[in-house]
Amino acid sequence: MNLALWIAAGLLATVALTGGVTKTFVPREKLAAVHGGGWTGEVSTAFVKGLGVLELLAAAGLVLSAALDIAPVLVPVTAVCWILLMIGAMITHGRRGESALVALNVAYLALAVFIAWGRFGPESFTG
């Protein structure tokens, strides 16, 4: 179970890192032109970059805090925050009729639920 949780956290951290780097460093206009990025044309640059920074922090919170044994409780807390982020993403993509992206967000949400459940419960870092 511990290994499965580490793998799930690593996968989700990779997703967060990729999304964070993209949203933080790629110009909003370029993001808006890509499939699934149309929503970025409807919000401010600061909002997109802010989400990018949050995703970068999520990538660190999902893996580094436990790997470095610095406040490992941040792993499940970060997973809960990711769940909230994915609910917002599903609403956004759903309103835009992007059902494939909603399904992808559901998969990311499921990973985060698994991590939160496992790290708050049976495989917490405190036990």
Side-chain angles (χ1 to χ4, degrees):
M1 175 71 100
N2 186 46
L3 179 61
L5 287 164
W6 272 106
I7 291 170
L11 289 171
L12 203 53
T14 302
V15 169
L17 182 64
T18 303
V21 167
T22 302
K23 289 179 188 82
T24 304
F25 299 109
V26 174
R28 184 175 61 97
E29 296 75 21
K30 193 170 183 179
L31 291 174
V34 176
H35 173 68
W39 65 271
T40 60
E42 301 167 1
V43 296
S44 71
T45 300
F47 182 78
V48 175
K49 299 226 181 281
L51 279 178
V53 169
L54 288 175
E55 289 182 13
L56 292 173
L57 291 171
L62 286 165
V63 176
L64 290 180
S65 60
L68 300 175
D69 198 26
I70 301 172
V73 71
L74 288 178
V75 173
V77 170
T78 301
V80 169
C81 293
W82 190 265
I83 291 166
L84 297 173
L85 183 66
M86 288 302 98
I87 290 169
M90 290 185 307
I91 291 168
T92 299
H93 290 299
R95 286 181 178 166
R96 297 179 54 80
E98 300 167 337
S99 57
L101 294 173
V102 172
L104 187 61
N105 294 140
V106 168
Y108 297 153
L109 182 139
L111 273 176
V113 166
F114 175 64
I115 295 164
W117 167 80
R119 291 305 184 199
F120 274 133
E123 288 291 333
S124 73
F125 291 113
T126 60

